[in-house]
Amino acid sequence: MYGGDRLSRLGAFSPRFPDAEALHRGLAHWNHDRLAPSAPSDDWREDLDREILMRRIEGAFIEAFRSHVAPLVEDVPQDAEGFITWFEALKDHGPGQWDPLFDWLEGEASLEDLKWFLTQEAAGEAGFDDLVAMTQVKVPDRAKLELARNYWDEMGRGSARGMHGPMLSRTTATLGLTPTIDTTLWQSLCLANTMTAFATTRRYVWQSIGALGVVELTAPTRVACVDAGLKRVGVSPEARKYFALHAQLDIEHSKAWNAEALVPLVSEDPSRARFIAEGAVMRLICGEQCFDTYRAHLWAHAHPLVYAAE
């Protein structure tokens, strides 16, 4: 099966959601609606009915995904030192790592190529700050403090101009990007849906910590390539600030996350290791699926097939 379709058969399909594209667009719209601040309504019973239906659909997808990755995490070490060694090796050997897409974005992609890529990424962005905030509820103290420190950095340490989410929004505005759910590839929506499911569902809290941690571990190299590509095509330093910042900051974030969140959590309860590993591998597979799909789109014109004359 084509790599970009790796997760296309996972989930509870129905006439309403007959395939992966419909499923993940439906989940994305539901996540957008349910997480938006709102006011009390007389329709709360209907909202609750929809909530139950969509949570069952979300749960069916996540559980099918967990079964899909089970062979990849069945031998994960359960001692803290061994687990961290396994976890950190994902940077080099995990799904989707060192994808050729990013060297191409750095060295060859046009401004329009980069804008298309960033539109897909922005529309599938679940909001790292909100994911951390939702994940930290009731977790043990030492890990909770590390998530709090990470969140404070995401919040620009109290400065509105330094907040990471709005910083990315300013980038998309400067480049004239208009990301929407309905114009985004389902693979990108799948990534955001998976991260949101982890953070908003308490039975997946350890998966969420693994998924967020592996983002910090693996993102710096990729965002550095994006930053270099944007610089090459003439994008201003201010518009590139989000990527330049994360290329450096996430390295330190990863070290602290591993030492102050993963080590104590696994030391306290070794059974958590497998769940943290599941989240990390699932997040990487979501990224791998996106990269494969992005390349298929972007390289269709950049590397056209040439047939020999008959």
Side-chain angles (χ1 to χ4, degrees):
M1 180 181 292
Y2 166 59
D5 291 330
R6 179 170 182 171
L7 306 181
S8 63
R9 297 179 182 175
L10 301 185
F13 300 114
S14 66
R16 182 180 178 187
F17 300 121
D19 54 30
E21 182 172 6
L23 175 69
H24 287 289
R25 289 201 196 289
L27 285 171
H29 280 292
W30 171 61
N31 284 324
H32 179 271
D33 292 345
R34 71 169 171 139
L35 296 178
S38 60
S41 167
D42 291 339
D43 296 332
W44 67 269
R45 291 178 181 83
E46 289 79 2
D47 291 342
L48 185 57
D49 289 341
R50 183 189 182 204
E51 178 89 3
I52 293 170
L53 171 64
M54 296 305 293
R55 278 198 170 275
R56 287 182 180 276
I57 292 170
E58 176 188 71
F61 169 72
I62 295 296
E63 289 303 313
F65 199 170
R66 290 186 63 221
S67 295
H68 181 74
V69 303
L72 303 178
V73 298
E74 61 184 358
D75 296 324
V76 168
Q78 294 201 336
D79 64 289
E81 182 179 352
F83 178 74
I84 292 300
T85 298
W86 177 91
F87 189 87
E88 291 181 342
L90 292 173
K91 180 176 181 180
D92 290 321
H93 306 297
Q97 291 308 103
W98 311 109
D99 192 285
L101 171 69
F102 292 92
D103 284 341
W104 182 81
L105 290 173
E106 178 177 359
E108 297 183 49
S110 68
L111 175 59
E112 290 306 309
D113 291 329
L114 285 157
K115 288 169 69 173
W116 182 90
F117 166 79
L118 292 175
T119 301
Q120 295 296 315
E121 291 283 281
E125 170 62 38
F128 199 91
D129 53 348
D130 290 336
L131 296 174
V132 172
M134 290 185 285
T135 298
Q136 61 79 37
V137 175
K138 301 296 183 182
V139 302
D141 290 350
R142 188 172 163 191
K144 190 183 189 76
L145 284 169
E146 179 51 38
L147 269 64
R149 286 187 285 267
N150 189 289
Y151 179 77
W152 190 234
D153 280 347
E154 290 287 328
M155 290 292 99
R157 295 181 169 266
S159 168
R161 287 291 298 176
M163 291 172 66
H164 295 185
M167 196 181 295
L168 179 59
S169 296
R170 289 194 293 274
T171 298
T172 62
T174 299
L175 295 175
L177 311 182
T178 55
T180 67
I181 290 172
D182 290 327
T183 58
T184 301
L185 295 169
W186 73 262
Q187 289 86 352
S188 183
L189 301 177
C190 175
L191 187 156
N193 290 336
T194 300
M195 297 295 286
T196 302
F198 287 164
T200 58
T201 310
R202 300 317 292 162
R203 67 179 178 273
Y204 299 135
V205 64
W206 312 125
Q207 284 87 350
S208 188
I209 287 173
L212 293 167
V214 88
V215 172
E216 300 285 28
L217 177 71
T218 62
T221 304
R222 293 194 298 271
V223 296
C225 289
V226 175
D227 179 48
L230 290 170
K231 180 179 181 180
R232 174 178 53 79
V233 298
V235 174
S236 70
E238 179 62 24
R240 295 187 282 107
K241 187 175 181 180
Y242 175 87
F243 302 99
L245 174 67
H246 283 80
Q248 299 300 320
L249 184 62
D250 285 354
I251 295 172
E252 298 305 314
H253 276 176
S254 178
K255 293 177 182 177
W257 193 281
N258 294 356
E260 298 299 319
L262 301 190
V263 166
L265 288 173
V266 173
S267 297
E268 181 180 87
D269 183 352
S271 70
R272 294 169 181 162
R274 180 180 178 123
F275 303 136
I276 294 169
E278 281 181 0
V281 172
M282 290 164 76
R283 172 58 181 82
L284 291 180
I285 288 174
C286 285
E288 177 185 53
Q289 183 176 245
C290 288
F291 307 154
D292 284 347
T293 309
Y294 296 165
R295 276 190 280 103
H297 173 90
L298 290 166
W299 291 7
H301 64 85
H303 301 285
L305 293 174
V306 177
Y307 295 95
E310 295 183 355

